[in-house]
Amino acid sequence: MTDTQKTNLERHPKFGFLQVKPTPTQEEITRFYAEEFYSSKYKAFNNSALEVQEADREFHDAHREDIAGNIERLLGTFRSRA
């Protein structure tokens, strides 16, 4: 896949998750991680330092809210079946 090739996110018809279409090749994925992911703004992605966490607080709070909402929705589904 070239940088100029258009990609889309499409929902998987059976399982519902989003996936990139067209799917990148293994070589493209390897190149992305080697040349971009670990050498750009993503360097701090797994950094658990307090200053990194504070800078990303809004993202992490929203992520936790999404998880909690999904758990509540699933528990409600299970409770209504009982």
Side-chain angles (χ1 to χ4, degrees):
M1 183 179 340
T2 65
D3 289 340
T4 59
Q5 185 176 6
K6 181 146 175 70
T7 60
N8 295 305
L9 284 179
E10 296 179 11
R11 192 160 301 280
H12 189 279
K14 182 176 181 182
F15 300 109
F17 60 83
L18 294 175
Q19 61 190 113
V20 175
K21 289 290 186 162
T23 304
T25 65
Q26 184 61 48
E27 293 79 21
E28 291 166 331
I29 293 169
T30 300
R31 186 173 54 248
F32 169 77
Y33 280 100
E35 295 174 4
E36 294 191 36
F37 189 83
Y38 292 113
S39 64
S40 64
K41 66 181 179 181
Y42 298 108
K43 277 195 263 187
F45 186 73
N46 288 322
N47 186 339
S48 62
L50 180 58
E51 54 273 4
V52 172
Q53 298 303 311
E54 287 176 343
D56 292 338
R57 180 184 303 268
E58 186 175 326
F59 167 80
H60 292 294
D61 287 348
H63 181 68
R64 285 187 288 272
E65 287 175 16
D66 287 344
I67 291 170
N70 284 328
I71 291 170
E72 288 173 352
R73 181 180 53 79
L74 289 169
L75 287 175
T77 301
F78 292 128
R79 285 187 187 133
S80 65
R81 290 182 187 173

